[in-house]
Amino acid sequence: MANLRFEVVAEAFRKRPVEVEAPKERPSEYFGKFVFNRAKMYKYLPADVYEKLVDVIDNGAPLDRSIADAVAKGMKQWADENGVTHYTHWFQPLTEGTAEKHDAFVEHDGKGGMIEKFTGKLLVQQEPDASSFPSGGIRNTFEARGYSAWDPTSPVFIIDDTLCIPTIFISYTGEALDYKAPLLRALRSVNLAATTVAKYFDPAVKKVTANLGWEQEYFLIDESLYSARPDLMLTGCTLMGHDSAKNQQMDDHYFGTIPERVQAFMKDLEIQALELGIPCKTRHNEVAPNQFELAPIFEECNLAVDHNMLLMSLMKKVAQHHGFRVLLHEKPFAGINGSGKHNNWSLSTDTGVLLHGPGKTPEDNLRFVVFIVETLMGVYKHNGLIKASIMSATNAHRLGANEAPPAIISSFLGKQLSDLLAHIEKSDKENLFSVKGKQGMKLDIPEIPELLIDNTDRNRTSPFAFTGNRFEFRAVGSEANCASAMIALNTAVAEALTNFSARVDALIAKGEDKISAIIDIVREDIKTSKPIHFDGNGYSDEWIEEAKRRGLDCETSCPVIFDRYLDEDSIKMFENMNVMHKNELEARNEVKWETYTKKIQIEARVMGDLSMNHIIPVATHYQSQLAKNVQNMYDIFPENEASNLTARNKEIIKEIAERTQSIETGVEELVNARKVANKIEDARERAIAYHDTVAPKMEEIRYQIDKLELIVSDELWTLPKYRELLFIR
């Protein structure tokens, strides 16, 4: 047993970087090589078809199915030139991953042979089996029909020999069974609401786009060591393992020199990502050992989500080529930082960025204030829902662990913006604003000219921090689909903006001047949203108590937090904004509860297996060696002398006996707790039982195992230790 572990570790140390042959062109020249982007559309499509397709993408025009055959023909020609033989509808079911079914282009020619064919019908719509994907009860197992439908706003791309077509996925009865469909609806909703408000300041505005820039954190583990840890293989995290004597306490890994093997992996990953149109920009070492980050340039939100899902899949494939495994679990190792996926979110019009301040005119500055405040309004009103959108069994380990934002949603604004909003709220309205004919509005706010991009410090404890021209939603988990958070956030902001414009229009209808009406409403909303604004230390106990007094959602139980999706206000918001209906929300919660239960269930089963088949046999074997040593000492030395010489070994023998007994008892209790929880029919109550009764028993067992790791002979311990997992280069 011991030799195998040592051999695996030695093999990991011997590995050298894989040679990566870089393209001869510059990155800008091969960017999007395998993407059917606008340049390729222009090349392969008839001019009128190209114009109609661009109108769909840019302006949300209805897709004219009469052009589908021409588009499919152009795509097929491009695909043929790149050696493509298959196509697939690529979608994002409620499994947190992606799904694809590959079909060859071949069809019977009616003469006993075959032809290669790809039609508009195959491009626009397919019918994958919907019975085996999570549906939360929307679909019965025996009712298998579901539809995938082409999303023209996200470009088609090539992976190996397959043409991948981004699609939505819906049931036979029309309910969304994926993340993309409600995301597209949420983006349309915020576009309509934000455009209405933006027109108060610039009637020329035609469209508002939600932008997203994600920052993907991840761990790299040597593949041979990964294979020697069943818990990593089956759960993505270590269910046991004592701290390494050295981990991140020296702060020497963050932004440090990237190891050679990792650099080769990053180079290979970036080349392939750029070829797929993913605009990789930043790479660096993160805080924890063997933890890294990749971040792209901002993109339109729907495309950014697709690119992140594609990248996570690509990372896993490239990592194996370099002898690594990627860990996207939010907390794969105890005692060191876990991984998040910061979602930098902003709104922009076809004329500029709405959260970019200051502007050149007072109207621009007021517009900036309006969109900041209404974003805060959306987040304040639905702070529990926003938290639910990023909550999972795995992310729950990370939130509030002094390394990530706490499980309380608040927004950091920085001193200057905070002072600005306080000034607007408290100052006398007549003295604050004045309108003089064609001169426009004058703003008596001295802070505005100083409100420059990145004028605030960073607050790493804030889940939703304003950072200059965007909000950084820091609480999103590393393996999550960004769409979950973006659906909730964009819908909440859309509702706030819709409510804002309705109240402004009501005042205007009563005869109040437009600017004066906007000021009245924005001042009301500054006061209303005040509880969500917090610039202090989110890790402090004082903040928890203060957040409770402010009425913010402070729940920490993951299954209970999911309830926020079914609050009356949440259902009303999603339905009024035409994003999701009540039955879709109920179904998604069923999936969330089931997923939570299954993840904890798998972890519990793996822990029981490792405890009984690895840990206890190793510990008792060492115990037997010590007992034999004690007996030998008594055979050699006089009893008094032997007693003194064996005192420490006797203590260890006793400690092993006590700890193995605790582990055996703990595993038995763990199994019984699972059996009791499994009998609960209601998905929510079963998930709560797993949270309250199963998960805590795993922590108790882990404590005993980690103590044994410190006293059992190193040569007998079968599982690679943290010092080996985290410091292989």
Side-chain angles (χ1 to χ4, degrees), residues 118-129:
F118 184 58
T119 65
K121 180 180 178 181
L122 298 175
L123 167 65
V124 171
Q125 179 178 317
Q126 292 225 320
E127 186 185 322
D129 186 339

Side-chain angles (χ1 to χ4, degrees), residues 216-275:
Q216 180 69 60
E217 295 176 344
Y218 61 95
F219 281 85
L220 284 178
I221 302 298
D222 186 87
E223 187 171 31
S224 54
L225 295 175
Y226 171 90
S227 299
R229 289 287 308 224
D231 49 353
L232 278 176
M233 292 176 64
L234 297 176
T235 71
C237 69
T238 54
L239 299 176
M240 54 199 67
H242 199 279
D243 284 355
S244 170
K246 178 184 184 298
N247 48 53
Q248 67 185 47
Q249 68 265 49
M250 298 301 295
D251 300 320
D252 55 348
H253 191 258
Y254 192 48
F255 283 15
T257 302
I258 299 172
E260 267 192 289
R261 280 182 65 195
V262 177
Q263 181 89 348
F265 157 77
M266 288 180 168
K267 179 180 178 181
D268 197 0
L269 175 64
E270 287 181 3
I271 290 170
Q272 295 189 45
L274 289 167
E275 288 177 336

Side-chain angles (χ1 to χ4, degrees), residues 74 83 236 241 296-297 377 401 469 648 716:
I297 301 171
M377 278 292 289
N469 60 354
R648 176 55 183 155
L716 295 180

